[in-house]
Coordinates of all heavy atoms in Angstrom, one line a residue:
S323 N -11.8 16.2 -19.5 CA -10.7 15.8 -18.6 C -10.8 16.5 -17.2 O -11.3 17.7 -17.2 CB -9.4 16.0 -19.2 OG -9.1 15.2 -20.3
G324 N -10.5 15.8 -16.2 CA -10.6 16.4 -14.8 C -10.5 15.6 -13.7 O -10.2 14.3 -13.9
D325 N -10.7 16.0 -12.5 CA -10.6 15.2 -11.3 C -11.9 15.4 -10.5 O -12.5 16.5 -10.5 CB -9.5 15.7 -10.5 CG -8.1 15.3 -11.1 OD1 -8.0 14.2 -11.5 OD2 -7.3 16.2 -11.2
M326 N -12.3 14.5 -9.8 CA -13.5 14.5 -8.8 C -13.1 13.8 -7.5 O -12.5 12.6 -7.6 CB -14.6 13.8 -9.5 CG -15.8 13.7 -8.6 SD -17.2 12.8 -9.4 CE -16.6 11.1 -9.3
K327 N -13.4 14.4 -6.4 CA -13.0 13.8 -5.1 C -14.4 13.5 -4.5 O -15.3 14.3 -4.4 CB -12.2 14.7 -4.3 CG -10.8 14.9 -4.9 CD -10.0 15.8 -3.9 CE -8.7 16.1 -4.5 NZ -7.9 17.0 -3.7
I328 N -14.5 12.3 -3.9 CA -15.6 11.9 -3.0 C -15.1 11.8 -1.6 O -14.2 11.0 -1.4 CB -16.3 10.6 -3.5 CG1 -16.7 10.8 -4.9 CG2 -17.3 10.1 -2.6 CD1 -17.5 9.6 -5.5
L329 N -15.6 12.7 -0.7 CA -15.1 12.8 0.6 C -16.0 12.2 1.7 O -17.2 12.5 1.7 CB -14.9 14.4 0.8 CG -14.1 15.1 -0.2 CD1 -14.2 16.6 0.0 CD2 -12.7 14.6 -0.2
G330 N -15.4 11.4 2.5 CA -16.2 10.8 3.7 C -17.3 9.9 3.3 O -18.3 9.9 4.1
P331 N -17.3 9.1 2.2 CA -18.4 8.2 2.0 C -18.6 7.2 3.0 O -19.7 6.6 3.0 CB -18.0 7.6 0.5 CG -16.5 7.6 0.6 CD -16.1 8.9 1.4
H332 N -17.7 6.8 3.8 CA -17.8 5.8 4.8 C -18.5 6.2 6.1 O -18.9 5.4 6.9 CB -16.4 5.2 5.2 CG -15.5 6.3 5.8 ND1 -15.1 7.4 5.1 CD2 -15.1 6.5 7.1 CE1 -14.3 8.1 5.9 NE2 -14.4 7.7 7.1
L333 N -18.9 7.5 6.1 CA -19.6 8.0 7.3 C -21.1 8.2 7.0 O -21.5 8.5 5.9 CB -19.1 9.5 7.6 CG -17.5 9.6 7.8 CD1 -17.1 11.0 7.9 CD2 -17.2 8.9 9.1
A334 N -21.9 8.0 8.0 CA -23.4 8.1 7.8 C -23.8 9.6 7.9 O -24.5 10.0 8.8 CB -24.1 7.3 8.9
Q335 N -23.2 10.2 6.9 CA -23.4 11.8 6.7 C -23.7 12.0 5.3 O -23.3 11.1 4.5 CB -22.2 12.5 7.3 CG -22.0 12.4 8.6 CD -22.9 13.2 9.5 OE1 -23.5 14.2 9.1 NE2 -23.2 12.6 10.8
P336 N -24.2 13.2 4.9 CA -24.2 13.5 3.4 C -22.8 13.4 2.8 O -21.9 13.9 3.4 CB -24.7 15.0 3.4 CG -25.5 15.1 4.6 CD -24.9 14.2 5.7
T337 N -22.7 12.7 1.7 CA -21.4 12.5 1.1 C -21.1 13.6 0.2 O -21.9 13.9 -0.7 CB -21.3 11.1 0.2 OG1 -21.4 10.1 1.3 CG2 -19.9 11.0 -0.5
M338 N -19.9 14.4 0.4 CA -19.6 15.5 -0.4 C -18.7 15.1 -1.7 O -17.9 14.2 -1.6 CB -18.8 16.6 0.5 CG -19.6 17.0 1.6 SD -21.0 17.8 1.2 CE -21.8 18.1 2.7
V339 N -18.9 15.9 -2.6 CA -18.1 15.8 -3.9 C -17.6 17.1 -4.4 O -18.3 18.1 -4.4 CB -19.0 15.1 -5.0 CG1 -18.3 14.9 -6.3 CG2 -19.6 13.8 -4.6
V340 N -16.3 17.2 -4.8 CA -15.8 18.4 -5.3 C -14.8 18.0 -6.5 O -14.4 16.9 -6.6 CB -14.9 19.2 -4.2 CG1 -15.7 19.7 -3.1 CG2 -13.7 18.4 -3.8
G341 N -14.6 19.0 -7.3 CA -13.8 18.7 -8.5 C -13.7 19.9 -9.5 O -14.2 20.9 -9.3
Q342 N -13.0 19.5 -10.5 CA -12.9 20.4 -11.7 C -12.7 19.7 -13.0 O -12.1 18.6 -13.0 CB -11.7 21.4 -11.5 CG -10.3 20.8 -11.3 CD -9.3 21.8 -10.9 OE1 -9.7 22.9 -10.5 NE2 -8.1 21.4 -10.8
T343 N -13.1 20.3 -14.0 CA -13.0 19.7 -15.4 C -12.7 20.7 -16.4 O -12.8 21.9 -16.1 CB -14.4 19.0 -15.9 OG1 -15.4 20.0 -16.0 CG2 -14.7 17.9 -14.9
T344 N -12.2 20.3 -17.5 CA -12.0 21.2 -18.7 C -12.2 20.5 -20.0 O -12.1 19.1 -20.0 CB -10.5 21.7 -18.6 OG1 -10.4 22.7 -19.6 CG2 -9.5 20.7 -18.9
N345 N -12.7 21.2 -21.0 CA -13.0 20.6 -22.2 C -13.0 21.8 -23.2 O -13.0 23.0 -22.9 CB -14.3 19.8 -22.3 CG -15.5 20.6 -22.0 OD1 -15.7 21.0 -20.7 ND2 -16.4 21.0 -22.8
R346 N -13.1 21.4 -24.5 CA -13.2 22.3 -25.6 C -14.6 22.3 -26.1 O -15.2 21.2 -26.2 CB -12.2 22.1 -26.7 CG -10.7 22.3 -26.2 CD -9.8 22.0 -27.3 NE -9.9 22.7 -28.5 CZ -9.3 22.4 -29.6 NH1 -8.6 21.3 -29.7 NH2 -9.5 23.1 -30.7
Y347 N -15.2 23.4 -26.5 CA -16.6 23.4 -27.0 C -16.7 23.7 -28.4 O -17.9 23.7 -29.1 CB -17.4 24.3 -26.1 CG -17.1 25.8 -26.3 CD1 -17.7 26.6 -27.3 CD2 -16.2 26.4 -25.5 CE1 -17.4 28.0 -27.3 CE2 -15.8 27.7 -25.6 CZ -16.5 28.5 -26.5 OH -16.2 29.9 -26.7
T348 N -15.6 24.1 -29.1 CA -15.6 24.3 -30.5 C -14.4 23.8 -31.1 O -13.4 23.4 -30.4 CB -15.8 25.9 -30.9 OG1 -14.5 26.5 -30.5 CG2 -17.0 26.4 -30.3
S349 N -14.3 23.9 -32.4 CA -13.0 23.4 -33.0 C -11.9 24.5 -33.0 O -10.8 24.2 -33.6 CB -13.3 22.9 -34.5 OG -13.8 24.0 -35.2
T350 N -12.2 25.6 -32.5 CA -11.1 26.7 -32.5 C -10.2 26.5 -31.3 O -10.7 26.0 -30.2 CB -11.8 28.1 -32.5 OG1 -12.6 28.2 -31.3 CG2 -12.7 28.3 -33.7
A351 N -9.1 27.0 -31.4 CA -8.1 27.0 -30.3 C -8.6 27.7 -29.0 O -8.2 27.4 -28.0 CB -6.8 27.4 -30.7
V352 N -9.4 28.7 -29.2 CA -9.9 29.6 -28.0 C -11.1 28.9 -27.3 O -11.6 29.4 -26.4 CB -10.2 30.9 -28.4 CG1 -8.9 31.6 -28.9 CG2 -11.3 31.0 -29.4
G353 N -11.7 27.8 -27.7 CA -12.9 27.3 -27.2 C -12.6 26.4 -26.1 O -12.9 25.2 -26.0
I354 N -12.1 26.9 -24.9 CA -11.8 26.2 -23.7 C -12.9 26.5 -22.7 O -13.2 27.7 -22.4 CB -10.5 26.6 -23.1 CG1 -9.3 26.3 -24.2 CG2 -10.2 25.8 -21.8 CD1 -9.2 24.7 -24.6
I355 N -13.4 25.5 -22.0 CA -14.3 25.6 -20.8 C -13.7 25.0 -19.6 O -13.0 24.0 -19.7 CB -15.6 24.9 -21.1 CG1 -16.3 25.4 -22.4 CG2 -16.5 25.0 -19.9 CD1 -17.5 24.5 -22.8
T356 N -13.7 25.8 -18.5 CA -13.3 25.2 -17.2 C -14.4 25.1 -16.3 O -15.2 26.2 -16.2 CB -12.0 25.9 -16.7 OG1 -11.7 25.3 -15.4 CG2 -12.3 27.4 -16.5
S357 N -14.6 24.1 -15.5 CA -15.7 24.0 -14.6 C -15.1 23.6 -13.1 O -14.4 22.7 -13.1 CB -16.8 23.0 -15.0 OG -17.3 23.3 -16.2
S358 N -15.7 24.3 -12.2 CA -15.4 23.8 -10.7 C -16.8 23.5 -10.2 O -17.8 24.2 -10.3 CB -14.8 24.9 -10.0 OG -13.6 25.3 -10.5
F359 N -16.9 22.3 -9.6 CA -18.2 21.8 -9.1 C -18.0 21.4 -7.7 O -16.9 20.9 -7.2 CB -18.7 20.8 -10.1 CG -17.9 19.5 -10.1 CD1 -18.2 18.4 -9.2 CD2 -16.9 19.4 -11.1 CE1 -17.3 17.3 -9.3 CE2 -16.2 18.3 -11.2 CZ -16.4 17.3 -10.2
A360 N -19.2 21.4 -7.0 CA -19.3 20.8 -5.7 C -20.7 20.3 -5.6 O -21.7 20.8 -6.2 CB -19.0 21.9 -4.5
G361 N -20.8 19.2 -4.8 CA -22.3 18.7 -4.6 C -22.3 17.8 -3.4 O -21.2 17.5 -2.8
A362 N -23.4 17.1 -3.2 CA -23.6 16.2 -2.2 C -24.7 15.2 -2.4 O -25.7 15.5 -3.1 CB -23.9 17.0 -0.8
R363 N -24.6 14.0 -2.0 CA -25.6 13.0 -1.8 C -26.2 13.4 -0.5 O -25.6 13.4 0.5 CB -25.1 11.6 -1.7 CG -26.1 10.5 -1.3 CD -27.3 10.4 -2.3 NE -28.2 9.5 -1.9 CZ -29.4 9.7 -1.3 NH1 -29.7 10.9 -1.1 NH2 -30.2 8.7 -1.0
L364 N -27.5 13.8 -0.5 CA -28.1 14.5 0.7 C -28.5 13.7 1.8 O -28.5 14.1 2.9 CB -29.3 15.2 0.2 CG -29.0 16.4 -0.8 CD1 -30.2 17.0 -1.3 CD2 -28.1 17.4 -0.2
A365 N -28.7 12.3 1.6 CA -29.0 11.5 2.7 C -27.8 11.2 3.6 O -26.7 11.1 3.2 CB -29.5 10.1 2.2
S366 N -28.1 11.0 4.9 CA -27.1 10.7 5.8 C -26.9 9.2 5.8 O -27.3 8.5 6.7 CB -27.3 11.2 7.2 OG -27.4 12.6 7.3
T367 N -26.1 8.7 4.8 CA -26.0 7.2 4.6 C -24.5 7.0 4.1 O -24.0 7.8 3.5 CB -27.1 6.7 3.7 OG1 -26.9 5.2 3.6 CG2 -26.9 7.3 2.3
V368 N -24.1 5.8 4.4 CA -22.8 5.4 3.8 C -22.9 5.1 2.3 O -23.9 4.6 1.8 CB -22.3 4.1 4.5 CG1 -21.1 3.5 3.8 CG2 -22.0 4.4 6.0
V369 N -21.9 5.6 1.6 CA -21.8 5.4 0.1 C -20.7 4.4 -0.2 O -19.6 4.5 0.3 CB -21.5 6.8 -0.6 CG1 -21.2 6.5 -2.1 CG2 -22.8 7.7 -0.5

Side-chain angles (χ1 to χ4, degrees):
S323 295
D325 293 310
M326 174 181 74
K327 294 180 182 180
I328 297 184
L329 307 168
H332 61 291
L333 303 172
Q335 296 289 327
T337 297
M338 302 297 175
V339 178
V340 297
Q342 57 188 8
T343 61
T344 189
N345 60 287
R346 293 174 62 195
Y347 66 94
T348 67
S349 59
T350 64
V352 297
I354 301 296
I355 299 171
T356 183
S357 297
S358 296
F359 62 91
R363 167 65 179 103
L364 298 175
S366 293
T367 185
V368 171
V369 168

